[in-house]
Amino acid sequence: MIGDKKVLFSGMQATGNLTLGNYLGALKNWVTLCDEYECFYSVVDLHSITVRQDPSELRQRARKLLTLYIAAGLDPKKNCLYYQSHVSGHAELAWILNCFTYMGELNRMTQFKDKSAKHADNINAGLFTYPVLMAADILLYQADVVPVGKDQLQHLEITRDIAQRFNAIYGDVFTIPEPYLGKTGAKIMSLQDPDKKMSKSDENANASVYLMDDPDAIMRKFKRAVTDSEGCVRYCEEQPGIRNLMDIYGACTGKTSAEIEKEFDGKGYGDFKMAVGESVIAVLKPLQERFAELEKDKGYLDGIIKENAEKAEYYALKTLRKVQKKVGFPERVR
Ligand code: ATP
Ligand code: LTN
């Protein structure tokens, strides 16, 4: 708890361009959580180097992601938005937690198996201990809740195991985090294959709408979106493509599927796709404008980055000092 609020932690990697899925499924909902929770959202750049990165590109992407957090509506006065690499406690706690994590546990992580198959030429120890760093992120802030996608639930489970193991030895040091299962956003599917999640690492650019796409690109992608064969706008099992477009339209306009069916009664896919494209453009336009303004204001952003890192560091150090004492490191003489 911080004050009378529970703590929420989440992070995103600055790899790839954010998609409409990331926005409607995560960011848009994050914006609503700061009244109820004390929120920390990190750009997890330490995690990013588990895969080889071009340094200047990584730096640019990280700044872009942090700017996007704000452009999407996360108020940096109410949410702590910061770079993981600016708070050294993440790496320090990760080291300690490494000594409380078993090889066997890490061997079971499916993301490690997937990523090592994908990057067979660079199966580094960081990739293997990635979940321990993630545990450190979460435990450092004594987070109560962690909003994550399904693919990260296994990492949250190991975080809980590590925290419980540590607490069993040293007493109540860490809060045991829960996955955040509150009002989650729509799961947005690929525009080219509605059985697959829209994902920023998809190689087919037509499969995803990126948050920075211009109106022409957005309309083009929706016109090309894979639809079904019934020819009508109806929310049903047999029409995964149309269902996905209805989810997107609903998330952008606030309309229910019944309202959408009524609105497009007697109309074909063409009209509907145009309307979906326009609704997405209307949602992304203010975000893009705000992003452009923020990018120009270097001084403002730098100020936010510094202030938020200091705030994160304050809470991180509180936990780290406690942990260091518990494991038996000598006290600091000031
Ligand atoms: P990658 O392709 O690199 O795995 P991703 O686009 O799948 O990335 P993540 O970085 O894993 O996205 O996830 C960031 C957040 O966005 C998570 O909270 C996740 O649940 C959410 N998210 C990602 N894709 C979608 C989607 N298609 N629909 C809804 N939410 C999504
Ligand atoms: N592994 C996560 C990103 C991530 C994270 C975290 C999410 C790193 N640390 C802590 C929640 C809490 C991912 O790839 N989506």
Side-chain angles (χ1 to χ4, degrees):
M1 301 286 274
I2 294 182
D4 58 355
K5 283 185 181 170
K6 286 190 168 180
V7 177
L8 179 151
F9 185 96
S10 199
M12 271 197 209
Q13 290 207 49
T15 34
N17 289 319
L18 291 206
T19 69
L20 187 63
N22 296 127
Y23 178 69
L24 297 178
L27 279 180
K28 185 169 176 251
N29 304 299
W30 288 5
V31 172
T32 63
L33 300 172
C34 67
D35 291 331
E36 192 177 348
Y37 298 97
E38 190 69 42
C39 297
F40 293 83
Y41 297 111
S42 186
V43 172
V44 292
D45 44 4
L46 299 183
H47 280 103
S48 296
I49 63 162
T50 53
V51 171
R52 205 66 77 223
Q53 303 286 341
D54 175 77
S56 80
E57 208 171 283
L58 177 62
R59 209 172 346 263
Q60 277 173 26
R61 281 186 192 282
R63 185 157 174 119
K64 195 170 159 190
L65 180 56
L66 203 122
T67 312
L68 258 179
Y69 278 177
I70 306 173
L74 287 173
D75 179 348
K77 297 272 174 222
K78 295 187 182 159
N79 299 273
C80 189
L81 314 174
Y82 72 100
Y83 298 122
Q84 187 188 28
S85 61
H86 282 190
V87 179
S88 56
H90 289 257
E92 290 183 71
L93 182 61
W95 172 256
I96 296 173
L97 298 181
N98 265 322
C99 303
F100 293 84
T101 308
Y102 299 116
M103 301 286 285
E105 286 177 302
L106 292 173
N107 260 326
R108 285 198 290 275
M109 296 293 117
T110 56
Q111 181 176 296
F112 172 68
K113 291 181 203 162
D114 293 348
K115 287 209 176 170
S116 31
K118 220 166 148 185
H119 305 277
D121 56 338
N122 181 22
I123 306 176
N124 60 72
L127 199 59
F128 188 61
T129 58
Y130 179 115
V132 185
L133 179 58
M134 183 159 159
D137 298 342
I138 297 166
L139 301 178
L140 203 49
Y141 299 93
Q142 306 287 356
D144 297 278
V145 290
V146 183
V148 282
K150 263 203 193 124
D151 59 323
Q152 295 298 313
L153 284 177
Q154 199 185 26
H155 289 166
L156 201 60
E157 212 35 63
I158 194 175
T159 300
R160 291 164 55 86
D161 291 343
I162 297 169
Q164 274 157 350
R165 184 171 306 141
F166 196 94
N167 284 356
I169 305 172
Y170 299 105
D172 253 349
V173 178
F174 294 124
T175 302
I176 309 298
E178 304 275 347
Y180 175 80
L181 298 170
K183 191 181 146 285
T184 44
K187 183 168 181 199
I188 306 301
M189 310 309 278
S190 154
L191 297 185
Q192 292 298 314
D193 177 359
D195 292 326
K196 227 172 76 183
K197 189 182 89 148
M198 183 182 286
S199 149
K200 55 179 143 63
S201 54
D202 199 312
E203 272 154 26
N204 182 352
N206 283 324
S208 308
V209 171
Y210 301 107
L211 297 186
M212 289 299 140
D213 275 351
D214 62 38
D216 285 348
I218 296 174
M219 286 314 269
R220 198 169 2 96
K221 288 179 184 182
F222 279 108
K223 276 186 197 156
R224 288 191 190 157
V226 169
T227 38
D228 310 283
S229 53
E230 298 210 353
C232 62
V233 178
R234 202 163 59 83
Y235 203 89
C236 60
E237 259 322 288
E238 304 78 49
Q239 300 209 97
I242 286 296
R243 229 172 40 220
N244 186 36
L245 295 183
M246 288 176 78
D247 282 339
I248 294 174
Y249 189 60
C252 290
T253 60
K255 293 177 187 170
T256 64
S257 41
E259 285 166 345
I260 301 170
E261 284 177 359
K262 207 161 153 203
E263 183 179 350
F264 292 93
D265 188 23
K267 295 188 184 151
Y269 290 156
D271 287 343
F272 178 52
K273 284 177 164 184
M274 293 281 283
V276 181
E278 274 156 18
S279 75
V280 171
I281 292 168
V283 165
L284 294 188
K285 194 165 169 255
L287 188 151
Q288 293 175 352
E289 286 169 357
R290 180 100 184 93
F291 181 86
E293 266 169 41
L294 285 164
E295 251 195 335
K296 271 189 271 171
D297 200 344
K298 189 171 176 306
Y300 168 76
L301 260 183
D302 288 344
I304 295 290
I305 288 169
K306 181 164 180 285
E307 252 173 55
N308 279 250
E310 281 166 3
K311 177 177 171 188
E313 180 142 57
Y314 170 80
Y315 290 105
L317 268 182
K318 264 174 99 162
T319 303
L320 186 67
R321 294 289 177 256
K322 196 167 163 189
V323 170
Q324 288 169 329
K325 194 169 168 196
K326 290 282 183 187
V327 297
F329 295 164
E331 251 179 86
R332 284 161 194 258
V333 187
R334 298 203 183 269

